[in-house]
Amino acid sequence: MIISLVGYMGSGKSHISKILSDKINFKLIDLDKEISRRNKLTIPEIFEKKGEIYFRKLERETLEEILATQENIVLSLGGGTPVYYNNMEIINNNSASVFLRASICTLAERISKQKEKRPLIAKIADEDLPEFIAKHLFERNVYYSKAQLSINTDQKNPEDIIQEIIEKLYL
């Protein structure tokens, strides 16, 4: 079984996937880290040197390879992964997809502390971040909402979120 966590940057995908994979004894794969490892470049370096289109192709290829395995995996996806090509359809057909939802305020608070690691927001002023997130989320929620399971993460601790995932996926 593969459990794919989708959601906007800062929704908790990386943090929740680590704890969840430990708890249910599944292998953890962070898609962005796997792409970086394979290409020996960070995600910002790939964006800078090769461009977003190149990155999205790598992302798609890596996603397909991981989803083709028969392993028990918790897969943490990049915020944009479900948006490109027919990735969300492939994710749903080959894994249990979980959308980690968070409010714009929560997301802005979390990602403002990590701007240098996030190419899409690196140059956006903190005061403009909520508006950027709102517009971006409006576009991306169409894809995120196709996930098989949706969990609101606002004001929940990681253990509660993980317990909700386990219960709803009957693990």
Side-chain angles (χ1 to χ4, degrees), residues 33-51:
K33 288 180 182 173
E34 183 63 17
I35 292 166
S36 291
R37 184 188 67 75
R38 291 180 181 195
N39 292 275
K40 297 177 179 53
L41 293 168
T42 66
I43 300 303
E45 288 170 339
I46 294 171
F47 267 74
E48 184 183 317
K49 293 178 182 182
K50 307 275 186 156

Side-chain angles (χ1 to χ4, degrees), residues 10-13 15-16 19 98-103 106 109-110 149-168:
S11 64
K13 297 178 305 287
H15 187 64
I16 296 298
I19 300 168
V98 180
F99 172 27
L100 298 180
R101 285 183 293 117
S103 69
T106 298
E109 183 182 315
R110 289 177 184 168
L149 179 61
S150 180
I151 296 179
N152 186 341
T153 63
D154 283 335
Q155 275 126 42
K156 288 184 185 171
N157 68 48
E159 280 303 318
D160 291 340
I161 296 165
I162 288 160
Q163 192 56 42
E164 192 172 343
I165 293 170
I166 289 170
E167 287 171 8
K168 290 186 175 177

